[in-house]
Structure formats: structure tokens, C-alpha cells
Amino acid sequence: MKPLLTALLLLVSSLGCAQALPRHAPVPGGVAVIDLGPATTTAPAAHWGEQPLAVVREHGHWYALLGIPLDTLPGELEIRVLRGSTVETRPLSVGIKNYPEQRLTIRDRRKVEPSAEDLARIAREKETTDAVKRRFAEAMPDTALDLPAKGPLSSRFGLRRVFNGQPRNPHAGLDVAVGSGSPVRAPAAGVVANTGDYFFNGNTVFIDHGQGLITAYMHLSRVDVRHGQPVKRGQILGAVGATGRATGPHLHWAVILNNTPVDPELFLGRR
């Protein structure tokens, strides 16, 4: 009976570690979940242009995950799938998604109209964060994410934002309305890719979950992890605050897939 018991335990373990897929939403700011066929061999590789894509296993199939940029126009995209020396293409239709407008008043005018010194700092910080977002570790990510803070959702992803009457970049994350000092927890296992105090984002933590899936936690009052540190699901990363460009205490949570900010809600409630 021991071999049978061992097999059953392995089966239960594998079911408990299933990589629940994000919700298929092939629209600007969404995620396309593309079935690559049965997982009977090693994982294929997938690319959109030169950009590698995450490939995960779920229910005995391989799936490619494509984060679609917010500025993508409706129409046809194409990804390449590589199986050894064989290359095939998969078409993808991108639909229409209209996001509402949000108008906010920021008391610190420098956060809306930065000085020349501020602009130089912002440029330096962008180089750092862009490099983090381009990371592509080989580890297969767990794509079933938990909400990193307990509270109601406020500003949703994709809002067209106007600060003090001036149009700015769309809202590239999801805000959770929680009080200052509330704990912020890792939504899945990963490695701390970066921490820092940024002009717009305030105190920030980036987590690398593997294969281009990066999450970020902004406006923190406190950071409790360090660069390079492995973290487990549910581990405290820091505390909610109002640092950077913020109208009040809240958590801004961003999910980046293949160097593209996407709607975090597509990854929630999938376990």
C-alpha cells in the first residue's frame, strides 16, 4: 500500500499547487490566456515580437499569458510559439475597452508640476523601475493572487486621470482603501526585486513572481523586506501609507505582465 499512498499524496500535493489562470480578457489593459495544447512534453516558449511571455501549466495544458498594453488599438495581434525547432503563430483579436475618467486634487503642486530637479530625479527612478519591470526569471509563477490588503477597492485600474485639471497617465494599478499602518502582504510567493522611496510612488516594494509577472506596492508608510529576499504568500511586506503622490492613505497595487501593467482584478479569486 505504501506506493499507492505515496502516489495519492503526490496527487493531492500537485492539486494544492495548481496554477489557477487569470481571467481571459483580451482588451487593452487586460490579459489574453492562450491555450498552447496538452502538457505532454516540456513547456513551449512563447513570444510577442521580441518579448517573452509567461507559459504556465493548468489542468494538463500549457497556456501563454499576454499582458496587453493600455494604448493597444482594437484589432489583430500575433504571438509566436516555439516547440524545439518548430515555430507556429497564434492570432489574437483585441477588443474594445473604455475606461472612465477620474479627477483628483493634489495639494502638493510639485507632484503635478515637478521642478527641473524633480524631473531629473523622476527620470533616474524610471530607469530603475523600467529595469525591474523587464525582469524575466525562469521560475513558473503562481498566477492565483490574493488581495494584498484587507479593505474595499477604490480607484480601479485604467482610469483616465486628471490631476488639478491636468491630464496625466492612466491609473496603472488598483487602489485598496485601508488606513495608514495596515499590513500589506505578498499575494503569492516570489522574490523582492526592488525597494525604494520614489517621487510619485513613495515607499515601494516590487516582487518578482517569475516569467515576467511582477507586482508592486506603493505609497507605503513602512517597508519590512529587503532586495533579494524570498517571500511566501501572506508574508508582510510593509504597511499602508500616503507617501509619494497620494491624496490620503491607501495601497496602490500594480501587476505587471511581460513589462505591461494589467488589471490586477483579473488575478483575484482564482484559487
Side-chain angles (χ1 to χ4, degrees), residues 4-174:
L4 177 58
L5 179 58
T6 300
L8 288 173
L9 289 173
L10 288 172
L11 175 60
V12 170
S13 175
S14 66
L15 289 175
C17 296
Q19 307 289 322
L21 298 169
R23 181 157 52 87
H24 178 59
V27 296
V31 176
V33 180
I34 304 159
D35 190 344
L36 302 183
T40 54
T41 59
T42 57
H47 289 78
W48 179 39
E50 297 302 314
Q51 175 66 52
L53 303 181
V55 174
V56 298
R57 182 174 180 167
E58 175 75 359
H59 299 308
H61 276 232
W62 294 117
Y63 292 89
L65 307 180
L66 170 64
I68 303 172
L70 268 170
D71 59 0
T72 303
L73 297 176
E76 298 296 317
L77 299 180
E78 190 174 82
I79 71 166
R80 290 180 295 115
V81 181
L82 292 76
R83 305 177 192 272
S85 60
T86 302
V87 180
E88 60 184 84
T89 58
R90 294 290 183 88
L92 173 70
S93 295
V94 177
I96 298 173
K97 174 75 173 182
N98 294 314
Y99 293 95
E101 182 181 270
Q102 182 183 45
R103 292 180 172 268
L104 297 169
T105 300
I106 303 295
R107 293 181 180 178
D108 184 354
R109 293 186 60 183
R110 282 180 56 201
K111 300 298 184 184
V112 181
E113 302 177 47
S115 66
E117 183 179 351
D118 294 332
L119 290 172
R121 174 187 171 185
I122 292 166
R124 291 193 302 271
E125 292 177 348
K126 186 175 185 300
E127 288 184 2
T128 299
T129 57
D130 283 353
V132 173
K133 295 172 185 178
R134 288 194 300 267
R135 287 171 61 116
F136 195 89
E138 292 302 317
M140 187 179 298
D142 185 346
T143 57
L145 303 184
D146 297 331
L147 191 66
K150 293 184 178 180
L153 306 182
S154 50
S155 295
R156 296 312 223 269
F157 176 86
L159 292 170
R160 294 177 290 112
R161 310 194 89 176
V162 180
F163 290 105
N164 297 359
Q166 300 185 40
R168 290 294 184 265
N169 290 333
H171 191 224
L174 174 66

